[in-house]
Amino acid sequence: MASSLYFILPALGGYTLTSLYLLKNPQILHKKKRAAFHCTHISHRGGSGERIESTMEAFTHAVEQGTGMLELDCHLTRDGHVVVSHDENLLRQTGHDVTISSLNLEELPLQKDRLEVTFYAGHYSTGTDRKFTLLEEVFRKFPKMPVNIEIKEDNSLLMEKVSNMVKQYDREDLTVWATVDSTIMKKCRRTNSTMPYSFSMRRGLQLLLLYYSGLLPFVPLGESFLQFYLPRIINRTYIPEERLLKNRMVIYLIEKLTMKKSLFKHLANRGIQVHLFVCNEDPDIEAAFEAGATGVMTDYPTLLTDYLHRHRSQD
């Protein structure tokens, strides 16, 4: 046993040193991804703290405030229209307990005139526009604006319609597939493999395992974006429904395990953008960038724009 340590310890030491070196110098093994865009300012649901979420008014306002990317979710109506909405069931947004898939486009109710901001409990948004918008309308109005589309449901027709629309408007390099579900992500990629895509939940966990095992520098990554909660907002500005996430010790462990500057820097050096969300206060925006985020997602595009202007002038 003792003799075998003479071989195991040097091998382990060599592996550790090599892994650490390649973690800091990933370009030795991996060609850096060259995205068509790089954004530090992402508007969550179009900036749902300043206008009613996912409306054309919200998207327009966010773009006017200088956002670099619009984040949104899509669902399919009964008559086949791709509608921008976070929820498939419209109870929270409209007060009507109906699903988008059960209604034709013209049957969709208006959103509430005062809507609580999901990631900023106790705060509400208002606006003059309460109509649900179509994804195609967003593409038409903002042809050069990067858009992050989250697909929440395992619906092949929805994926096909989104992909066809992306091709029609010649924006495959500007539109990102996003979902927490690995099965859905695989189907999205099969539907359109030319669009950049983000880490799913399972792939994010694999990323952490690779990082802590030292294997990450040796493994190729297809994803172009990592989007993750800033843990400090949980149970403070964002109150989760999951009982597990209400436990302070769990959140503390998540923060210690995930907010690794060396991990985020490694990803950035490989051309993988790191977006932390949803940051609705200055200290949270600062904490996200301090952790190594390349971009921040917010419900308040004006707030983030002001923060970036202030800190650029200080620099």
Side-chain angles (χ1 to χ4, degrees):
M1 179 65 181
S3 60
S4 64
L5 292 178
Y6 288 107
F7 299 97
I8 294 174
L9 292 179
L12 184 59
Y15 167 75
T16 301
L17 290 174
T18 302
S19 177
L20 289 173
Y21 180 78
L22 293 175
L23 188 72
K24 295 180 179 180
N25 301 278
Q27 69 280 357
I28 294 174
L29 293 182
H30 306 284
K31 184 178 180 180
K32 188 172 183 178
K33 295 177 184 291
R34 301 292 179 184
F37 62 92
H38 185 280
C39 52
T40 56
H41 187 308
I42 305 102
S43 292
H44 181 245
R45 304 182 197 175
S48 63
E50 296 178 0
R51 298 294 187 273
I52 299 296
E53 66 181 56
S54 303
T55 59
M56 190 56 72
E57 183 181 24
F59 296 130
T60 302
H61 174 71
V63 171
E64 289 173 347
Q65 296 308 308
T67 196
M69 173 186 264
L70 298 173
E71 187 274 342
L72 53 84
D73 314 81
C74 287
H75 298 279
L76 205 59
T77 62
R78 183 170 59 191
D79 52 348
H81 292 277
V82 182
V83 172
V84 179
S85 172
H86 179 269
D87 301 351
E88 214 278 308
N89 184 288
L90 298 179
L91 182 61
R92 176 186 66 88
Q93 293 162 266
T94 70
H96 297 276
D97 190 7
V98 293
T99 60
I100 292 175
S101 59
S102 70
L103 302 173
N104 293 330
L105 179 63
E106 66 271 14
E107 297 172 326
L108 292 176
L110 294 176
Q111 297 202 65
K112 296 175 182 177
D113 57 6
R114 186 170 180 266
L115 199 59
E116 186 172 24
V117 182
T118 302
F119 284 86
Y120 208 9
H123 292 74
Y124 294 81
S125 63
T126 59
T128 59
D129 183 8
R130 296 162 54 201
K131 290 176 59 180
F132 288 96
T133 191
L134 297 173
L135 179 62
E136 187 168 15
E137 292 174 325
V138 177
F139 285 175
R140 283 178 178 171
K141 185 157 187 178
F142 310 110
K144 302 300 181 183
M145 174 62 59
V147 175
N148 184 93
I149 299 178
E150 182 167 357
I151 304 295
K152 295 183 179 297
E153 55 188 283
D154 191 350
N155 186 327
S156 297
L157 182 58
L158 172 62
M159 298 173 203
E160 290 174 9
K161 283 183 174 285
V162 169
S163 173
N164 290 339
M165 211 177 298
V166 166
K167 292 176 181 177
Q168 177 186 346
Y169 287 92
D170 191 27
R171 48 176 303 120
E172 287 176 283
D173 57 344
L174 293 175
T175 312
V176 179
W177 286 125
T179 181
V180 298
D181 190 301
S182 292
T183 300
I184 294 176
M185 181 57 79
K186 288 177 182 177
K187 292 185 178 181
C188 287
R189 291 185 59 207
R190 283 200 298 267
T191 304
N192 190 326
S193 61
T194 61
M195 290 167 56
Y197 61 100
S198 64
F199 283 87
S200 64
M201 181 67 74
R202 182 183 298 173
R203 283 286 294 159
L205 291 174
Q206 290 174 355
L207 178 70
L208 284 176
L209 288 173
L210 291 171
Y211 171 73
Y212 281 107
S213 67
L215 289 170
L216 179 59
F218 305 98
V219 177
L221 299 171
E223 292 85 355
S224 296
F225 299 88
L226 173 65
Q227 298 173 340
F228 192 72
Y229 287 108
L230 181 68
R232 61 183 277 163
I233 71 168
I234 300 174
N235 295 314
R236 185 171 55 80
T237 63
Y238 169 57
I239 311 302
E241 294 181 4
E242 298 86 350
R243 179 179 297 180
L244 184 66
L245 292 181
K246 293 183 183 296
N247 187 300
R248 290 185 179 181
M249 182 57 68
V250 170
I251 301 305
Y252 173 81
L253 291 174
I254 289 175
E255 182 163 11
K256 289 299 181 183
L257 287 171
T258 60
M259 295 295 104
K260 295 299 181 182
K261 203 166 188 176
S262 57
L263 169 60
F264 294 160
K265 187 173 182 180
H266 173 83
L267 294 176
N269 286 339
R270 289 174 68 163
I272 299 172
Q273 298 179 48
V274 179
H275 300 160
L276 295 181
F277 64 89
V278 173
C279 302
N280 292 329
E281 296 180 0
D282 272 11
D284 296 333
I285 297 171
E286 184 174 4
F289 283 123
E290 181 62 29
T294 62
V296 164
M297 197 180 298
T298 185
D299 289 312
Y300 293 85
T302 303
L303 174 75
L304 181 52
T305 294
D306 290 344
Y307 176 92
L308 293 172
H309 284 166
R310 290 197 310 272
H311 286 75
R312 283 168 184 162
S313 62
Q314 291 174 7
D315 293 341

